[in-house]
Amino acid sequence: MTTLLTTDPDRAAAVLRRGGTCAFPTETVYGLGALAHDADAVGAVFEAKGRPPDNPLIVHVQSADEVAALARLTGPAERLLSAFAPGPLTLVLWARPGLPPSVTAGLPTVAVRVPASRHARDLLRATGAPLVAPSANRSGRPSPTTWQAVRDDLDGRIGAILQGPPTEIGLESTVVDVTEAVPLVLRPGAVSLDDLRRVLPETQPVTRGHDAARRSPGTRHRHYAPAARVRLAEVADARPGSDAAWIGLSPPPPGYARVAVCRDVADYAHRLFDAFRRADADGLARIDAEPVPDEGLGLALMDRLRRASQR
Ligand code: AMP
Ligand code: MG
């Protein structure tokens, strides 16, 4: 299949409305969209990504009202929606009947998000229907933060790419399960634990072991990993070399083939996945990544760095 490249949301929506797949920018990472109620279109998303069928998809909608059509809203869920929607927060809720089982991987719950990005909202409006949209990468690769990264992974495998700017945040959405009494953060993201606790003080991070794997199927799979080996390294442990890249807040000692010194944690998050992909494109063997404090957005950044470094 030839992948249409377009900056026109109406052309992208036309591909989706006839049951095709189309990647598009959100504020977190680029997503691979398809009509959530079209089982064949959803199947094409799993196929294009090589995604394991036991990893459910996030449904993207235009408004909190549309969330209520897909899932049962409880008081805590409504409070999170009024505080953080639209935005980089995904809620796991009890599903209403109607979605193809492949969307939820057969679970009784569904993950839903209202994206804030103008490009995503224009596309949702032009399409006029909820879209599944997992990150638009081949399964196991880092999430794409530019349309070029989507093309590198999925050219010829998807119907279209809605070309927009590099994504603002650069890390995937925060995922919070609100189906039980204690809200659980299944995946940290730009909406931080502190942000969530300001609205729902009882919110907890998911602990490893726990029933984390059952609650968050995606966490079973290897994620966010470039081909190069990722090593967490303070400046004092830096090992410069012509086969290595550095990314962090501090300048490293000289001798790295690629260096990304980030202004702050937000800039680090914004640049991380692109740095992974550039290191791979250059055939580098190793990426030294400087750790940051486990607080705020740093918690999400460290989650991705730890996953990438565990092989
Ligand atoms: P991705 O869109 O590729 O960033 O991945 C979506 C993430 O949301 C994965 O970690 C999924 O496991 C998670 N997710 C989607 N639906 C559910 C659900 N019903 N229950 C728990 N986690 C979910
Ligand atoms: Mg993904």
Side-chain angles (χ1 to χ4, degrees):
M1 119 178 36
T2 306
T3 300
L4 169 75
L5 298 179
T6 181
T7 57
D8 180 354
D10 292 319
R11 290 188 72 194
V15 172
L16 290 165
R17 279 201 306 267
R18 25 170 219 274
T21 50
C22 175
F24 62 95
T26 79
E27 69 273 31
T28 59
V29 300
Y30 273 71
L32 178 57
L35 295 177
H37 289 93
D38 180 336
D40 292 337
V42 172
V45 167
F46 281 94
E47 175 75 28
K49 282 180 58 85
R51 186 173 175 104
D54 63 350
N55 194 359
L57 306 178
I58 297 172
V59 182
H60 291 62
V61 296
Q62 288 185 75
S63 68
D65 290 347
E66 285 187 48
V67 178
L70 299 169
R72 267 178 279 151
L73 284 187
T74 55
E78 281 181 0
R79 287 167 62 200
L80 288 182
L81 283 173
S82 50
F84 302 113
L89 178 69
T90 297
L91 295 184
V92 173
L93 301 157
W94 294 110
R96 292 188 192 283
L99 287 168
S102 51
V103 171
T104 60
L107 294 171
T109 56
V110 61
V112 190
R113 177 161 102 84
V114 185
S117 137
R118 177 173 62 80
H119 305 275
R121 299 181 69 75
D122 286 348
L123 181 66
L124 279 165
R125 196 176 312 113
T127 308
L131 297 174
V132 292
S135 52
N137 50 284
R138 289 295 286 266
S139 213
R141 297 260 293 151
S143 295
T145 55
T146 63
W147 66 262
Q148 292 91 340
V150 178
R151 187 185 54 186
D152 289 346
D153 272 19
L154 297 175
D155 191 29
R157 303 178 65 89
I158 61 177
I161 300 175
L162 178 61
Q163 298 164 291
T167 62
E168 222 174 284
I169 295 170
L171 301 180
E172 304 83 352
S173 60
T174 307
V175 179
V176 183
D177 183 334
V178 285
T179 57
E180 287 174 21
V182 174
L184 267 189
V185 179
L186 301 181
R187 177 173 74 186
V191 176
S192 71
L193 188 58
D194 290 341
D195 295 334
L196 293 164
R197 282 181 172 165
R198 271 192 283 278
V199 179
L200 301 177
E202 61 278 25
T203 306
Q204 293 297 325
V206 80
T207 48
R208 281 187 185 276
H210 191 251
D211 50 352
R214 178 179 67 81
R215 300 286 285 274
S216 186
T219 58
R220 276 202 297 272
H221 301 284
R222 198 168 72 89
H223 250 87
Y224 318 121
R229 193 165 72 82
V230 175
R231 194 175 71 99
L232 286 169
E234 304 283 357
V235 176
D237 311 321
R239 288 213 305 265
S242 58
D243 64 343
W246 170 269
I247 185 165
L249 298 177
S250 317
Y256 280 98
R258 272 190 173 278
V259 172
V261 178
C262 308
R263 280 191 311 277
D264 51 27
V265 172
D267 186 42
Y268 195 162
H270 172 76
R271 294 167 69 177
L272 180 70
F273 290 147
D274 192 53
F276 282 180
R277 284 175 174 270
R278 285 172 194 264
D280 280 355
D282 289 355
L284 301 184
R286 174 166 47 89
I287 300 165
D288 284 355
E290 187 182 22
V292 301
D294 272 299
E295 59 195 32
L297 183 62
L299 204 64
L301 179 60
M302 287 305 294
D303 171 71
R304 307 311 191 271
L305 286 174
R306 289 196 183 100
R307 284 174 190 282
S309 66
Q310 286 162 8
R311 327 268 308 247

